[in-house]
Amino acid sequence: MKEYILPFRDLVVHPGLTVPVFIDNPMSIACIEAAMEGSRRLVLAAQHSWNYPAEVNDIFDIGTIGDIAQVLRMPDGAIHAIIRTTDVVSLHDISVNRGLFTADTQVISCMDDAEFEQTIALRDRIAENLQALAAGRKFKIDKLRNIVQNYPLPAFVDAVIQTADIDTDAAVAVLRAASWRDKLVLLLEQVNLIAETAKIEDSINRRIHQQMEAGRREAILQEKMRAIQKEMGDDAEEMDAENMRRRIEKSPLPTEAREKAMSEWRRMRSLAPMSNDGALIKTYLDELLAMPWAKTPASKIELGAARKTLDARHSGMNAIKERILEHIAVMKKTGSNRGSILCFVGAPGVGKTSLCKSIADALGRKYQRISLGGISDESHFRGHRKTYIGSQPGRIMDALKRCHANNPVIVLDEIDKMGRDWRGDPEAALLEIMDPEQNKTFRDHYLEVDFDLSNVLFIATANSLNLSSALKDRMEIIEIPGYTEEDKVCIAREHLVRRAAADTGWATENIIINDEAIRHIIRNYTSEQGVRQLQRELTAMLRRALLEHDGEDILTEFTPEKIDQLLAVRKLSGVSKRIGFGMGA
């Protein structure tokens, strides 16, 4: 025979109890009335969810059946009913008709071990744990103590579930248990779980309270110190805040950056002056104001002067210098950095970086060099979020800040040496930086505002063409070949001898060296495409001559024989080291 089911949202009732029920929704009132017309029996079942009206799947497949002892109708239509529960039943074939739930029921037997010593010990343990928990959780433990002493076990179990506000799923598991001992074991687990949770909450609350007290004490002391300083006419923090506001107002910030700066300044004023957050915001504002937002030093491009600068500093390389002058001519005509970004590719020592420095001088612009060798983190370009410890702007923003101009020549040195790992792809950020259509609104993660990089002239250098296709597409590759012997002789005569003399303290008029002697060094002591090793050998030759002349740079002619005499010691020293190392190994 099917029995009517009265769903409850958060109530699990055990058998052997007299349960008062207040009902005010139409569906439940109809369920009570239908049961009264029939067997006057009713199943009280809990719901999985709080849906109303409930559906079949919302009801647990277990409940407590009981007899309706009394029904009292209220003037507003609500019902007070008293139900005496008798058994735990499993529910099968639950159906709903016109909002009324019915199901076939089968009684679930429960072993009566309420008088066993182990069961009584479990009941007393639960009561003790709740007693210890009552002070912090403010349970009404007096009622529970009275139930323990004077009422049967079903009333105790029901009282624990209601007092400790045990979850519905856990309460249903207690209802399913096959004996009172099993029910009490499950209850003890839930009570202990509540106790451990309460300990964690108390620990967190104490820690928060201590931090709040420490922060309140620090704030009070700082406020007193500020009041004392104000009375003495020395309110340093207020002066710093006022000075920062004036700096923001006077700085030529764009609208977005000014709004961001004022927002951060208001936050800084609301924080304690000595707090970590206040110091971080002040550092951020200093970095923001240090950027060259509107500093564009005037630089008139003179092609004749640019040609003289390149010819004076670089021998040979005529085709490359002509290409550079073409680029400068376009810049003069358009008044911008239009055109492809130049990328000089060549072996070490052929003059790529020095050529970039010469371009900056020819344009009359500031010069900054950024080495990209080994960079594998995108934040090197985009900066770190200012919430991170030790955060700072990216290297592009840092270069602009150091040169105090927003139109410098920035050399991206060794662009072929960049890496890539789990921290990000630096090439993606570099592609945005090098694209004139995108770098007008470049956003550094630390500054959090857009900066216009379109005035910056970027030049890249690389030792090889081991570059991605995307990078090659953004740049015009200019290969710088290795120097011929005659080029090296010319470079040495015009530049390297003078540089070696400056490095060693020689007067250039005391150095007599002809082209044949320079060729002798190139053929016998160097084997490179560039001139770095030639520079080292010339410097070593002058150092050795100083040693022979007791530190004096007397007039000396460096013939091939003299050069061999001076450099032989250096050459033999290198050989002996290698031999000694090999024998030692």
Side-chain angles (χ1 to χ4, degrees), residues 91-261:
L91 305 178
H92 307 281
D93 193 19
I94 301 174
S95 60
V96 58
N97 183 20
R98 296 180 182 178
L100 302 181
F101 290 90
T102 58
D104 294 326
T105 61
Q106 182 178 355
V107 174
I108 298 176
S109 60
C110 177
M111 188 174 69
D112 187 9
D113 55 356
E115 301 300 326
F116 288 7
E117 290 184 4
Q118 192 175 18
T119 305
I120 295 172
L122 283 170
R123 182 196 65 184
D124 294 341
R125 182 62 180 274
I126 293 172
E128 290 173 4
N129 288 3
L130 281 175
Q131 178 74 36
L133 196 59
R137 302 281 291 186
K138 298 181 180 179
F139 291 152
K140 294 180 179 179
I141 198 66
D142 295 336
K143 178 182 177 182
L144 184 62
R145 190 182 298 112
N146 186 46
I147 291 173
V148 171
Q149 295 172 355
N150 303 310
Y151 286 81
L153 204 53
F156 172 78
V157 171
D158 188 72
V160 170
I161 290 174
Q162 305 307 322
T163 303
D165 194 18
I166 291 176
D167 184 74
T168 303
D169 289 333
V172 169
V174 173
L175 187 64
R176 290 183 191 276
S179 67
W180 290 107
R181 175 186 172 280
D182 293 342
K183 294 177 186 290
L184 292 176
V185 168
L186 294 173
L187 273 181
L188 183 59
E189 290 177 356
Q190 292 299 315
V191 170
N192 289 344
L193 179 62
I194 293 171
E196 290 300 321
T197 304
K199 288 180 182 178
I200 295 172
E201 289 179 355
D202 290 342
S203 175
I204 293 173
N205 290 335
R206 281 197 302 272
R207 192 177 307 153
I208 293 173
H209 180 72
Q210 290 172 358
Q211 291 175 352
M212 289 179 64
E213 286 297 322
R216 188 180 306 167
R217 177 176 177 273
E218 182 180 350
I220 292 172
L221 290 175
Q222 288 175 348
E223 193 62 35
K224 287 183 177 180
M225 184 181 296
R226 189 180 301 176
I228 293 171
Q229 290 174 340
K230 189 173 292 186
E231 289 295 325
M232 296 176 65
D234 184 24
D235 192 358
E237 286 81 10
E238 189 66 28
M239 289 176 61
D240 285 346
E242 186 62 22
N243 289 336
M244 182 64 73
R245 183 184 65 81
R246 290 174 183 169
R247 286 177 60 194
I248 294 172
E249 291 176 349
K250 292 180 180 179
S251 179
L253 297 170
T255 303
E256 181 191 8
R258 187 177 301 279
E259 291 175 355
K260 177 70 174 176

Side-chain angles (χ1 to χ4, degrees), residues 328-367:
I328 295 175
V330 173
M331 291 176 61
K332 180 178 181 179
K333 176 62 178 175
T334 61
S336 65
N337 301 327
R338 289 183 182 178
S340 301
I341 292 174
L342 301 180
C343 178
F344 299 130
V345 179
V350 296
K352 300 184 298 295
T353 306
S354 60
L355 195 60
C356 297
K357 181 68 170 65
S358 299
I359 293 173
D361 292 340
L363 293 172
R365 295 193 182 191
K366 301 289 183 67
Y367 169 83

Side-chain angles (χ1 to χ4, degrees), residues 421-475:
D421 62 12
W422 57 271
R423 290 171 294 184
D425 182 6
E427 183 177 304
L430 191 59
L431 289 173
E432 178 186 350
I433 291 167
M434 298 170 67
D435 189 342
E437 298 301 324
Q438 298 183 45
N439 63 15
K440 293 180 181 179
T441 56
F442 177 73
R443 181 172 291 246
D444 186 272
H445 287 163
Y446 181 83
L447 298 179
E448 296 180 342
V449 291
D450 293 343
F451 193 95
D452 186 0
L453 296 179
S454 61
N455 292 327
V456 180
L457 177 61
F458 291 101
I459 305 176
T461 71
N463 292 137
S464 68
L465 286 174
N466 185 24
L467 303 170
S468 68
S469 57
L471 275 178
K472 290 180 181 178
D473 183 61
R474 298 287 170 90
M475 302 183 298

Side-chain angles (χ1 to χ4, degrees), residues 256-546:
E256 181 191 8
R258 187 177 301 279
E259 291 175 355
K260 177 70 174 176
M262 291 304 297
S263 174
E264 294 293 329
W265 176 78
R266 284 190 288 270
R267 278 190 60 210
M268 183 184 74
R269 286 203 66 189
S270 65
L271 296 171
M274 302 300 291
S275 67
N276 288 335
D277 287 344
L280 290 174
I281 294 175
K282 185 177 184 302
T283 302
Y284 167 76
L285 289 175
D286 287 335
E287 291 286 346
L288 190 67
L289 295 175
M291 296 305 301
W293 296 99
K295 295 180 180 178
T296 308
S299 56
K300 186 177 180 181
I301 298 177
E302 296 288 347
L303 289 175
R307 184 183 295 277
K308 288 180 181 179
T309 300
L310 293 174
D311 289 339
R313 298 188 181 183
H314 303 277
S315 300
M317 307 172 67
N318 293 328
I320 295 169
K321 286 189 287 188
E322 288 299 319
R323 177 61 188 89
I324 293 171
L325 289 170
E326 291 172 5
H327 193 83
I328 295 175
V330 173
M331 291 176 61
K332 180 178 181 179
K333 176 62 178 175
T334 61
S336 65
N337 301 327
R338 289 183 182 178
S340 301
I341 292 174
L342 301 180
C343 178
F344 299 130
V345 179
V350 296
K352 300 184 298 295
T353 306
S354 60
L355 195 60
C356 297
K357 181 68 170 65
S358 299
I359 293 173
D361 292 340
L363 293 172
R365 295 193 182 191
K366 301 289 183 67
Y367 169 83
Q368 287 292 322
R369 172 182 166 271
I370 299 176
S371 177
L372 306 185
I375 286 181
S376 59
D377 188 353
E378 182 184 357
S379 61
H380 279 282
F381 294 122
R382 293 194 183 275
H384 306 81
R385 301 288 182 187
K386 66 175 184 289
T387 52
Y388 297 160
I389 296 175
S391 59
Q392 59 186 358
R395 299 181 69 175
I396 300 296
M397 294 293 104
D398 183 64
L400 293 174
K401 182 182 71 174
R402 283 187 281 114
C403 67
H404 306 289
N406 64 10
N407 66 339
V409 174
I410 293 183
V411 177
L412 304 172
D413 209 7
E414 296 183 324
I415 197 171
D416 56 327
K417 300 297 193 304
M418 281 195 308
R420 179 188 298 178
D421 62 12
W422 57 271
R423 290 171 294 184
D425 182 6
E427 183 177 304
L430 191 59
L431 289 173
E432 178 186 350
I433 291 167
M434 298 170 67
D435 189 342
E437 298 301 324
Q438 298 183 45
N439 63 15
K440 293 180 181 179
T441 56
F442 177 73
R443 181 172 291 246
D444 186 272
H445 287 163
Y446 181 83
L447 298 179
E448 296 180 342
V449 291
D450 293 343
F451 193 95
D452 186 0
L453 296 179
S454 61
N455 292 327
V456 180
L457 177 61
F458 291 101
I459 305 176
T461 71
N463 292 137
S464 68
L465 286 174
N466 185 24
L467 303 170
S468 68
S469 57
L471 275 178
K472 290 180 181 178
D473 183 61
R474 298 287 170 90
M475 302 183 298
E476 179 174 349
I477 306 298
I478 299 177
E479 296 193 47
I480 302 179
Y483 296 117
T484 64
E485 183 178 292
E486 290 305 315
D487 288 337
K488 293 181 180 180
V489 171
C490 183
I491 292 171
R493 184 174 60 248
E494 296 180 2
H495 303 286
L496 301 186
V497 173
R498 185 168 59 253
R499 193 180 303 169
D503 290 343
T504 55
W506 274 78
T508 54
E509 59 269 17
N510 290 334
I511 301 174
I512 301 173
I513 183 169
N514 58 26
D515 292 353
E516 194 58 38
I518 295 175
R519 287 192 185 91
H520 182 74
I521 298 175
I522 294 170
R523 293 170 181 171
N524 295 280
Y525 295 91
T526 66
S527 57
E528 57 171 350
Q529 297 183 48
V531 291
R532 285 182 183 169
Q533 187 62 31
L534 178 57
Q535 172 75 54
R536 295 190 193 100
E537 296 299 334
L538 288 170
T539 304
M541 176 188 73
L542 296 180
R543 281 201 313 265
R544 190 67 191 176
L546 281 178

